[in-house]
Amino acid sequence: MKRRNFLKSAACTFPFALSQPFASGAEPSDYPIKDAQVVPAGEDIDGEKRSLGFSRISFKISTRETGGNFFLFEHSNLRPGGPPLHFHYEQEEWFYVMEGEVLFQIGKKRFQLKPGDSMLAPRKVPHAFTAVGAVPARMLVGYSPAGRMEQFFRDIANGKPVIWDAALLRRYGCELVGPPLKTT
């Protein structure tokens, strides 16, 4: 399709898409939370204190609010360390760095993101990250659809060292494919 025809087609379709309640076909009444909810800076939506050892995490948008379509959390005090190289069978994973710097591997490429940078790890593409530099990093991480990712973080963010093994990741729809990312 030629670019001009594609743009015309997209322009005609876009207003229709905006008029639909949700692309998933769900109606707004299908969602249990009806009111807007403020989650203060540095707080978790449930008032919980969660730790992965290399960072603290705070849930910002839960699957309860989105009917499982989206889950968002904040890493704060993110230090070197992070998950092993893995991929998600069903989720796109989005990262937005707010403070510090974070080294990512997405597929076979490495990227160093600084504040204001974002990156998407598509489903079925291996990825890992680690904070780099002297300053702890802070970033948002979102999943769409959420799948079992919220439950995964509820289960592992208990302050104890995480044992990143293939069986653990597989239970939550992920596949372990390599070691954690090293900065050197």
Side-chain angles (χ1 to χ4, degrees):
M1 177 183 292
K2 291 189 176 181
R3 179 178 168 83
R4 182 178 307 256
N5 291 340
F6 172 79
L7 292 173
K8 284 180 185 176
S9 176
C12 291
T13 304
F14 187 66
F16 173 75
L18 288 177
S19 69
Q20 302 304 306
F22 295 95
S24 67
E27 295 296 323
S29 61
D30 293 342
Y31 295 85
I33 295 178
K34 306 278 191 271
D35 297 322
Q37 182 173 0
V38 173
V39 181
E43 296 293 322
D44 179 278
I45 196 167
D46 299 321
E48 298 287 329
K49 302 287 185 200
R50 306 175 201 275
S51 173
L52 294 173
F54 58 89
S55 78
R56 288 189 311 266
I57 63 172
S58 302
F59 293 2
K60 297 299 184 176
I61 300 173
S62 103
T63 57
R64 294 183 312 268
E65 297 170 282
T66 66
N69 289 318
F70 187 65
F71 169 56
L72 182 78
F73 71 92
E74 179 182 335
H75 272 288
S76 59
N77 200 36
L78 179 61
R79 300 190 179 276
L85 192 63
H86 67 286
F87 67 84
H88 305 265
Y89 283 102
E90 302 294 329
Q91 286 76 40
E92 317 296 343
E93 187 172 6
W94 172 77
F95 304 94
Y96 177 79
V97 176
M98 297 183 293
E99 294 176 2
E101 294 189 28
V102 183
L103 177 67
F104 288 86
Q105 180 174 330
I106 309 283
K108 295 187 184 287
K109 294 182 180 178
R110 287 188 174 203
F111 307 88
Q112 189 160 327
L113 276 63
K114 59 187 184 317
D117 293 342
S118 69
M119 173 168 278
L120 181 73
R123 66 186 72 193
K124 298 182 183 175
V125 174
H127 57 279
F129 64 85
T130 184
V132 293
V135 177
R138 188 165 65 104
M139 73 175 173
L140 293 174
V141 179
Y143 296 91
S144 178
R148 300 205 60 224
M149 296 316 300
E150 180 176 346
Q151 190 59 51
F152 172 74
F153 286 104
R154 285 184 184 282
D155 292 347
I156 70 164
N158 54 23
K160 298 176 187 169
V162 179
I163 308 293
W164 299 98
D165 67 24
L168 170 71
L169 291 174
R170 210 169 285 125
R171 279 196 308 269
Y172 297 94
C174 304
E175 197 66 43
L176 176 65
V177 294
L181 194 56
K182 300 287 185 199
T183 57
T184 56

